[in-house]
Amino acid sequence: MRKIQLTAESKKDILDDLLKRSPNNYGEYESVVADIIEKVRTKGDEAVFSFTKQFDKWEIDQDKIRVTEEEIAEAFDQMDADFIGVMERAAANITAFHTKQLHNSWIDPRPDGSILGQKITPIAVSGVYVPGGKAAYPSSVLMNVLPAKAAGVKKIVMTTPAGADGKVNPGTLAAAKIAGVDEIYKVGGAQAIAAMAFGTQSIPKVDKIVGPGNIFVALAKKACFGYVSIDSIAGPSEILVIADETANPRYVAADLLSQAEHDELASAILITTCESLADQVSAEIEGFLQELSRADIIKKSLDNYGYQLIASSMDEAIEAANAIASEHLEILTKDPYQVMTRIENAGAIFLGEYSSEPLGDYYAGPNHILPTNGTAKFFSPLNVDDFMKKTSIISYSRQALEQAHQDIELFAAREGLTAHANSIKVRFQA
């Protein structure tokens, strides 16, 4: 990790460096993704089967594309009971948290006979993409599916790539069953996103696509936005820790490494008012790297996007944290709650030394699908509202409209929309 004195110039340089990781900077892949999407849109299953053979190296057809109940049962048989129990308890926490986010439709009748309101309705079909390959993340299945279930989505369709043997990771299938997925299809990559966006002979069209994936998946979601809704274009994982002299350097080091192990583009940043803490954290990191299984990835991540920023004051540290707008923000200070009140931009905030970031990844309940690459300045974590539609309700009586019709007619006239004005006017002509 590079140790840097925090200044306006160094903060700008770091922000520029972090933004290089954005999926928006991978335009060279867009033509490849566009070709895949167009072929799936026009040829349906034929294109899906062809791309699956090309990229995933197995023969797929209409009889093999959908995961069967027997395959799900087999997956449960392969999982140890302890892990199943952990997933069930995590699912209960996630469901409880997201259920509290629900809003009700409302109606506001007024004395003049007008009625205004809002009708809240869940989307009908949600699509979930789950990565496969070398790594499988059952936690992401729970985080993407359970908010949709809490919202009342009627049908949840999941796509995930199978291995060359045509089998899906058993942890992924077990999590899908626990979360309540209705249909699972063995398709990955940009072709899976296109299949859910447009529908094929085997895979139904969905209303929204959520879930993480590689650059091809991210660009496919971006290209299909408008045909369907999406959650976000996720970038590499990131963590920022604000710490003062009271922080435990071993805890800080462990927490920074928890995100650096994701991939070589992951970002881990420490902002501290105590330079000696930064030195102690560096020593702890060296010790951990001798024992962690993904040490090679961690080293490259820290070399590429790891920083220790030395701030002259906590005010300066907070200002920098708000500018970076990290996906995960840990506050390890004497009074973390006081610091938290001044944080404006973060995907998720973790307070105190026993609120390590993986608590949010797996178990506590809040969603771990979070805004990255500074988008916490205007995006939120995945939540129940992402699976709901809000419809406005308007009802005016003659009395209510009579009081407002001249205002509306004047507004329409000023915009040159005479048919708009006439639509109101005719109701009061003799």
Side-chain angles (χ1 to χ4, degrees):
M1 298 181 77
R2 285 159 283 183
K3 186 164 72 172
I4 300 172
Q5 197 69 36
L6 184 56
T7 65
E9 184 178 356
S10 65
K11 180 172 66 177
K12 180 182 182 303
D13 290 343
I14 290 167
L15 290 172
D16 291 342
D17 194 34
L18 294 176
L19 287 174
K20 293 176 184 176
R21 307 170 310 140
S22 169
N24 291 323
N25 292 328
Y26 291 86
E28 66 267 30
Y29 300 114
E30 288 182 348
S31 61
V32 175
V33 169
D35 181 63
I36 292 172
I37 291 171
E38 180 60 18
K39 286 179 178 174
V40 172
R41 188 183 71 83
T42 57
K43 297 184 178 180
D45 276 356
E46 178 187 344
V48 170
F49 299 161
S50 175
F51 286 125
T52 299
K53 182 178 180 180
Q54 178 182 347
F55 298 128
D56 296 335
K57 311 302 181 187
W58 72 288
E59 294 278 357
I60 186 175
D61 56 36
Q62 285 185 326
D63 294 329
K64 299 175 184 175
I65 191 171
R66 183 170 173 178
V67 173
T68 66
E69 289 297 328
E70 290 75 18
E71 288 176 297
I72 294 173
E74 180 184 352
F76 270 87
D77 290 340
Q78 295 175 32
M79 303 295 295
D80 63 89
D82 288 343
F83 185 43
I84 293 295
V86 168
M87 285 198 287
E88 289 173 341
R89 290 191 290 278
N93 292 341
I94 296 164
T95 298
F97 179 86
H98 288 85
T99 298
K100 293 182 184 297
Q101 297 176 338
L102 287 169
H103 300 289
N104 295 320
S105 301
W106 55 269
I107 290 289
D108 179 24
R110 298 178 177 182
D112 63 4
S114 63
I115 299 174
L116 301 177
Q118 181 172 267
K119 186 176 186 290
I120 300 178
T121 311
I123 64 174
V125 185
S126 176
V128 179
Y129 183 83
V130 179
K134 296 179 181 178
Y137 300 105
S139 60
S140 282
V141 178
L142 302 180
M143 293 290 183
N144 280 287
V145 174
L146 291 171
K149 297 293 287 187
V153 174
K154 295 176 182 177
K155 183 177 182 179
I156 298 178
V157 174
M158 188 175 99
T159 59
T160 187
D165 58 358
K167 293 186 178 294
V168 175
N169 180 277
T172 297
L173 292 184
K177 181 68 173 179
I178 290 169
V181 174
D182 297 292
E183 300 175 9
I184 307 171
Y185 296 91
K186 302 176 187 179
V187 182
Q191 60 271 24
I193 302 302
M196 289 191 286
F198 297 103
T200 72
Q201 293 85 344
S202 297
I203 300 174
K205 176 177 169 34
V206 304
D207 300 310
K208 180 158 193 161
I209 300 174
V210 299
N214 62 19
I215 187 62
F216 295 98
V217 169
L219 290 175
K221 288 169 68 178
K222 180 180 178 182
C224 290
F225 177 66
Y227 297 100
V228 291
S229 176
I230 62 171
D231 50 354
S232 63
I233 309 296
S237 188
E238 52 199 34
I239 185 171
L240 189 153
V241 178
I242 297 177
D244 61 15
E245 71 282 356
T246 68
N248 183 319
R250 187 168 178 80
Y251 294 170
V252 173
D255 294 353
L256 290 169
L257 300 186
S258 73
Q259 294 308 295
E261 75 169 342
H262 271 293
D263 61 56
E264 296 166 9
L265 293 176
S267 167
I269 298 174
L270 167 65
I271 305 180
T272 182
T273 52
C274 179
E275 187 165 359
S276 63
L277 174 75
D279 295 333
Q280 294 173 63
V281 168
S282 294
E284 293 290 350
I285 286 174
E286 289 303 315
F288 281 129
L289 287 175
Q290 305 306 311
E291 59 189 61
L292 294 172
S293 63
R294 295 170 67 89
D296 289 343
I297 293 174
I298 292 172
K299 288 177 183 177
K300 291 177 181 178
S301 170
L302 295 182
D303 287 344
N304 292 333
Y305 299 105
Y307 296 95
Q308 292 181 327
L309 305 180
I310 311 303
S312 60
S313 67
M314 188 54 63
D315 288 344
E316 189 177 55
I318 293 169
E319 181 183 358
N322 280 326
I324 294 170
S326 184
E327 176 187 18
H328 307 99
L329 172 63
E330 288 191 6
I331 303 176
L332 299 174
T333 61
K334 183 178 180 180
D335 188 355
Y337 293 93
Q338 192 277 331
V339 174
M340 181 268 293
T341 63
R342 299 171 61 193
I343 296 298
E344 298 175 355
N345 305 319
I349 301 173
F350 301 78
L351 301 173
E353 64 182 9
Y354 294 105
S355 303
S356 178
E357 187 279 334
L359 175 65
D361 272 350
Y362 298 113
Y363 200 77
N367 211 286
H368 78 198
I369 311 297
L370 302 168
T372 57
N373 276 108
T375 60
K377 293 176 181 177
F378 44 83
F379 282 145
S380 304
L382 190 70
N383 61 83
V384 162
D385 283 349
D386 287 308
F387 301 94
M388 309 292 281
K389 302 181 288 103
K390 297 174 181 177
T391 304
S392 300
I393 297 171
I394 301 170
S395 175
Y396 265 44
S397 66
R398 179 180 177 84
Q399 175 190 353
L401 185 60
E402 191 168 17
Q403 296 174 19
H405 80 94
Q406 291 181 341
D407 288 347
I408 302 167
E409 291 166 25
L410 178 59
F411 218 135
R414 290 295 184 269
E415 293 191 348
L417 299 175
T418 55
H420 278 61
N422 186 63
S423 174
I424 300 294
K425 187 187 302 182
V426 296
R427 286 165 166 77
F428 299 97
Q429 291 175 333

